[in-house]
Amino acid sequence: MTTKLDALQQWVDEVAALTQPKAVQWCSGSDAEYDQLVEMMLADGTLTKLNDDSYPNCYLHLSDPSDVARVEHLTYVCTSDQEDAGPNNNWMAPDEGHNKVDALFKGAMRGRTMYVIPYCMGPIDSPFSRCGVEITDSAYVVANMKMMTRMGSAALERIEREGSFVKGLHSVGDLDPERRLIMHFPEELSIKSIGSGYGGNALLGKKCHALRIASYQARTEGWLAEHMLIVGVESPAGEVHYIACALPSACGKTNLAMLIPPPSQPGWKIWTLGDDIAWLHLDASGQLRAINPESGYFGVVPGTNAKTNKNAFEMITRDAIYTNVARTEDNEPWWEDKKVGTPAIDWQGRKYDPATGPAAHPNSRFTVAATNNPSYSELAEAAEGVPISAIVFGGRRKELAPLVYESRDWKHGVLVGAGVASETTAANVGEVGVVRRDPMAMKPFCGYNFADYWAHWLSFADRSDKLPKIFHVNWFRQDENGKFLWPGFGENLRVLRWIIDRCEGRVDAVETPIGYLPAAGGIDTNDLDISDAALKALTSIDNTQWKAEMASIGEYIESYGERLPDALREEQQRVARELDKVS
Ligand code: OXD
Ligand code: MN
């Protein structure tokens, strides 16, 4: 297979000349091709087959121990003007960026096969979808891309028809962290990533294309590329509302997207559209609609069990690739909080010894096709996407942020999103548990200056009078002994129900300076083991703490300087004034 698109053929030839592979293989995306790649990876030790009786078609990949997460400090956005990348990104001038990374790509694929992967982010026939081509020397990447994207011949046909595509060049290089770089050239719609095989750095359709490059593209084209799950909530009466929710990495997006209603909520159903990324467009009537550009899940494994996420627990018992989990004597995958089995071999392939750390890496992952999920919604293939009733932002905050609150209007909602802060997690290399600002959960993923991004968000209010309401949630509040105040997981449906009731004007709320909070009895706590004190803490605000928080949000947004939209500054000042009025 080759291509009739000259620009694509020329680029593939140039890359081959630079990287010197032993062979070039165009990927068709067929099942036979996947099976062949798996056979090859089993033979060369890249994959190990897991217990075929209990985990049919499941494989384990153990990465280099230094290559287990995204590397924000090595991730760059290369725009001609540094201001366009903004203080939220590491920046390099495009020429310098190309020179640096091309020097690493020189001869990098010697002795290896170079795979050419045409892919489509989003339903193959959707006008909202965008295509790309990833070139990689990793068969593991090809196998993952098969699940995560619509990859192969159909995508190539679309690319040839449209004549445009995002160029993504990837090589695992020598996996030396000193020679690892994840570079984005948004003005050229291109990506160059070398030195890592980890999903977030290597499956270029995901964070690199569908968030960093797409967010840049979305700004010029008038849409939004967001770090959001998309979930459908169906009431016992059959009414379905779709919610898009942005939470930082490893904060439970996958769990929320495939939530199982608890027994106290009979008749409710959850439909999963996506667990990580949403592309949002206004339709002709002004309704915001979402597609999930991905077709699979690359989820965090530890903590997944029959109680926390039964759907995920089941869907990864077949046709899944595990990365960096442990194994039992019976060759079943094992991870912390799995609740069944005992680890025998840890994620580094060593005999498990609790003294050397967790058995599975805290950022160990599963890759699986979305269709494996029992709550998969067929509307994930709908070309027009689904109508969004509510946008929800959230973070992992031990204190301060209530369980849920609603912004007054779109402008206030943009401020709520811009002020999101969360404790860092193992999804990125670096310290875990430190609170940092993570606006719209996009800190690692926005491909341009946050100030311009907020202006873009604000501009939607001029384009539609039917925009969804914007909320903020926090499942992670703790008491003074470090105990979670809210049970989370399936019980979060109660919060989603409140959100939907607010959208439908069916429930009253209490107005506070930071927005509307649930009134007493507003959240259904029937059958829930929660004290009045905990509920009060979850549904009220501490004014003194919030004054400090609003001042800190003010300082944070001001750090974006002249490009900060006045409307956002004014909104922050308005909320700060409201807080001042109360004692
Ligand atoms: C992810 C992440 O893998 O956000 O989705 O890091
Ligand atoms: Mn993510």
Side-chain angles (χ1 to χ4, degrees):
M1 205 167 106
T2 50
T3 177
K4 40 185 200 247
L5 185 63
D6 290 344
L8 174 54
Q9 188 62 54
Q10 201 182 326
W11 175 57
V12 169
D13 293 344
E14 277 166 21
V15 169
L18 176 69
T19 60
Q20 306 271 301
K22 70 166 196 259
V24 177
Q25 182 175 327
W26 287 73
C27 299
S28 68
S30 69
D31 292 344
E33 176 183 84
Y34 179 84
D35 293 344
Q36 259 172 15
L37 286 169
V38 165
E39 281 310 314
M40 195 188 80
M41 287 189 279
L42 288 172
D44 72 12
T46 305
L47 295 181
T48 305
K49 192 163 179 54
L50 292 166
N51 188 318
D52 205 31
D53 295 326
S54 43
Y55 286 84
N57 297 319
C58 288
Y59 304 96
L60 172 64
H61 171 69
L62 300 186
S63 78
D64 186 282
S66 73
D67 184 29
V68 292
R70 287 184 290 99
V71 280
E72 289 171 20
H73 61 297
L74 301 173
T75 300
Y76 287 80
V77 169
C78 305
T79 44
S80 317
D81 179 352
Q82 180 166 4
E83 275 294 300
D84 289 340
N88 44 308
N89 282 302
N90 299 316
W91 177 84
M92 228 183 261
D95 280 355
E96 189 193 349
H98 281 301
N99 288 342
K100 261 217 163 90
V101 76
D102 286 354
L104 300 175
F105 272 109
K106 199 157 182 239
M109 298 190 187
R110 253 184 219 124
R112 302 180 188 162
T113 297
M114 177 176 119
Y115 300 97
V116 182
I117 314 171
Y119 63 86
C120 178
M121 299 311 291
I124 201 88
D125 56 352
S126 169
F128 305 137
S129 301
R130 295 287 181 276
C131 292
V133 177
E134 174 163 359
I135 296 181
T136 180
D137 55 7
S138 162
Y140 166 84
V141 165
V142 182
N144 277 269
M145 286 288 282
K146 155 113 167 129
M147 293 195 258
M148 298 303 297
T149 72
R150 283 90 172 164
M151 144 194 163
S153 311
L156 182 59
E157 270 166 36
R158 179 165 170 165
I159 290 168
E160 289 174 340
R161 214 172 42 243
E162 292 181 336
S164 68
F165 60 97
V166 170
K167 288 180 188 161
L169 172 56
H170 169 255
S171 167
V172 289
D174 58 10
L175 292 177
D176 181 344
E178 297 293 317
R179 283 191 289 279
R180 186 172 291 162
L181 279 175
I182 323 296
M183 311 290 268
H184 302 76
F185 303 89
E187 292 154 354
E188 304 164 22
L189 301 185
S190 90
I191 306 155
K192 292 182 177 175
S193 163
I194 188 157
S196 169
Y198 172 73
N201 305 324
L203 310 179
L204 300 187
K206 192 173 181 62
K207 303 301 187 181
C208 299
H209 177 167
L211 287 176
R212 296 194 192 97
I213 298 290
S215 60
Y216 181 95
Q217 225 178 354
R219 179 181 170 222
T220 43
E221 295 175 3
W223 49 282
L224 292 164
E226 297 299 323
H227 192 204
M228 291 177 176
L229 66 92
I230 312 163
V231 68
V233 183
E234 183 174 335
S235 74
E239 175 194 55
V240 188
H241 284 89
Y242 296 95
I243 297 177
C245 175
L247 297 173
S249 307
C251 285
K253 281 201 299 301
T254 306
N255 291 343
L256 187 61
M258 44 189 80
L259 175 157
I260 306 247
S264 63
Q265 310 286 307
W268 288 85
K269 267 201 210 128
I270 290 288
W271 297 103
T272 315
L273 281 295
D275 81 327
D276 195 41
I277 301 177
W279 284 359
L280 304 159
H281 292 77
L282 286 176
D283 71 12
S285 76
Q287 168 70 54
L288 196 68
R289 306 188 74 89
I291 61 161
N292 170 15
E294 301 189 285
S295 60
Y297 311 123
F298 177 68
V300 177
V301 186
T304 307
N305 62 48
K307 226 173 138 202
T308 57
N309 191 340
K310 187 159 173 281
N311 282 333
F313 198 56
E314 270 174 33
M315 84 180 170
I316 58 177
T317 55
R318 61 199 157 88
D319 320 313
I321 297 179
Y322 287 87
T323 302
N324 292 340
V325 296
R327 263 178 297 161
T328 65
E329 288 291 358
D330 293 338
N331 210 22
E332 292 187 344
W334 193 91
W335 52 88
E336 273 65 23
D337 246 349
K338 185 180 183 188
K339 309 277 190 215
V340 284
T342 315
I345 302 178
D346 76 4
W347 70 275
Q348 296 190 60
R350 305 172 302 195
K351 188 170 169 346
Y352 173 56
D353 175 359
T356 59
H361 188 275
N363 192 37
S364 50
R365 297 283 177 146
F366 57 74
T367 317
V368 72
T371 45
N372 256 33
N373 173 10
S375 61
Y376 170 75
S377 165
E378 302 219 328
L379 290 180
E381 283 297 335
E384 69 284 9
V386 292
I388 295 298
S389 301
I391 286 178
V392 180
F393 295 117
R396 185 185 281 270
R397 303 284 312 250
K398 284 190 189 64
E399 46 185 29
L400 186 89
L403 178 62
V404 58
Y405 62 98
E406 176 194 333
S407 61
R408 283 162 55 109
D409 54 21
W410 185 262
K411 197 191 331 168
H412 180 216
V414 175
L415 177 71
V416 168
V420 166
S422 194
E423 293 160 35
T424 51
T425 66
N428 178 51
V429 165
E431 210 181 335
V432 167
V434 186
V435 176
R436 70 162 181 183
R437 292 272 161 228
D438 192 350
M440 281 79 171
M442 282 286 278
K443 168 71 186 72
F445 308 121
C446 183
Y448 64 105
N449 192 321
F450 260 148
D452 299 337
Y453 170 79
W454 295 324
H456 181 48
W457 262 85
L458 289 166
S459 73
F460 278 67
D462 304 328
R463 293 172 54 203
S464 169
D465 53 9
K466 288 200 198 129
L467 292 172
K469 283 182 182 287
I470 300 182
F471 298 79
H472 185 284
V473 296
N474 176 24
W475 318 133
F476 301 96
R477 271 293 280 275
Q478 295 178 11
D479 67 13
E480 54 293 348
N481 303 316
K483 186 172 169 287
F484 287 109
L485 291 178
W486 178 250
F489 302 106
E491 305 298 351
N492 291 337
L493 176 59
R494 299 170 192 264
V495 177
L496 298 184
R497 285 183 52 198
W498 184 79
I499 287 172
I500 292 166
D501 282 345
R502 287 297 297 164
C503 293
E504 293 294 328
R506 293 194 288 235
V507 64
D508 287 340
V510 176
E511 190 170 358
T512 78
I514 69 159
Y516 299 102
L517 267 74
I523 299 226
D524 171 14
T525 52
N526 197 18
D527 276 352
L528 200 63
D529 182 17
I530 189 165
S531 70
D532 289 347
L535 199 60
K536 176 132 198 299
L538 286 165
T539 54
S540 58
I541 60 165
D542 176 325
N543 237 62
T544 312
Q545 277 187 344
W546 268 99
K547 274 185 197 164
E549 174 73 358
M550 205 38 67
S552 141
I553 291 173
E555 253 169 57
Y556 176 70
I557 60 175
E558 283 303 338
S559 73
Y560 284 82
E562 276 182 11
R563 290 201 188 193
L564 181 70
D566 283 339
L568 197 66
R569 174 179 292 125
E570 284 156 17
E571 191 58 17
Q572 183 276 338
Q573 290 167 352
R574 183 191 65 73
V575 179
R577 274 196 310 274
E578 294 293 316
L579 283 160
D580 278 341
K581 278 191 212 154
V582 192
S583 74

